[in-house]
Amino acid sequence: MSTFEDNQYLTFKIGEETFGIGLLNVKEILEYTHVTTVPMMPSFIPGVINLRGNVVPVLDVCDKFFRKKHSPDKRTCIVIVEVPESINGARMDIGLIVEAVYEVLSIPSSEIEPPPTFGSRIRVDFLAGMARQASGFILLLNLLRLLTVEELTALEETKEEAANAVSAG
């Protein structure tokens, strides 16, 4: 049986779409800040940020989904989420660059449909479902499928290298 919190989603804008992510996975929302570039990463992983002494990899969701860069503005945020199971079985924090954060919504399970098998502008394997709203659909992200095993491995290695560089310097 679902609890009230299980049906709460943080909603945000990426491209022309409204996305949502389970509130229990959201750790915090930060004003956009400088991201330190990491060489040889895919374009949708622009780098890392220092969050209270911890190295957090950052993912440009617009680039990942739509293959286009979003120029940060005053509404751009970094949403820190906890991926429940990363490559080594441990939890991993990742920053998601989003164009704007909207609100937290309570969405009853009855209003959530499975992702479509065709016709979406993004790969449906990134989605946990679609929530019907009066204004249209909210695309609900599946954090476990947001990154491939190879991408998670690269992020883990990047995080370790950056942490070592910080402690050595």
Side-chain angles (χ1 to χ4, degrees):
M1 178 162 178
S2 294
T3 63
F4 180 68
E5 292 82 15
D6 288 341
N7 292 327
Q8 291 190 320
Y9 295 87
L10 176 70
T11 59
F12 47 89
K13 178 184 178 197
I14 302 170
E16 299 302 315
E17 304 293 339
T18 300
F19 286 82
I21 197 159
L23 192 59
L24 294 177
N25 294 107
V26 176
K27 293 184 87 172
E28 61 187 290
I29 301 167
L30 306 172
E31 185 177 323
Y32 183 81
T33 185
H34 172 74
V35 175
T36 303
T37 304
V38 177
M40 298 177 43
M41 293 303 291
S43 67
F44 58 84
I45 302 174
V48 297
I49 60 170
N50 181 342
L51 184 62
R52 293 183 292 283
N54 294 313
V55 175
V56 177
V58 176
L59 173 72
D60 183 337
V61 187
C62 189
D63 190 7
K64 172 85 173 171
F65 290 166
F66 304 112
R67 303 239 189 283
K68 65 179 185 176
K69 295 278 187 194
H70 166 71
S71 297
D73 59 28
K74 64 182 180 179
R75 297 191 65 200
T76 304
C77 296
I78 298 177
V79 178
I80 305 296
V81 297
E82 183 177 72
V83 178
E85 299 171 23
S86 68
I87 196 68
N88 62 7
R91 296 170 186 261
M92 179 180 189
D93 291 345
I94 297 177
L96 304 178
I97 299 174
V98 301
E99 293 174 37
V101 171
Y102 290 142
E103 62 185 329
V104 173
L105 292 176
S106 293
I107 304 173
S109 299
S110 62
E111 292 182 14
I112 299 175
E113 299 177 6
T117 55
F118 63 90
S120 178
R121 287 184 283 229
I122 69 165
R123 289 185 18 213
V124 296
D125 53 332
F126 295 143
L127 302 177
M130 297 177 62
R132 288 187 306 266
Q133 299 289 292
S135 59
F137 282 97
I138 297 173
L139 304 172
L140 304 176
L141 292 179
N142 181 337
L143 280 179
L144 295 176
R145 294 189 181 153
L146 195 55
L147 296 168
T148 66
V149 170
E150 293 80 15
E151 292 163 349
L152 281 170
T153 301
L155 283 180
E156 287 282 352
E157 291 170 358
T158 299
K159 185 177 169 183
E160 289 173 19
E161 288 172 15
N164 291 338
V166 167
S167 63

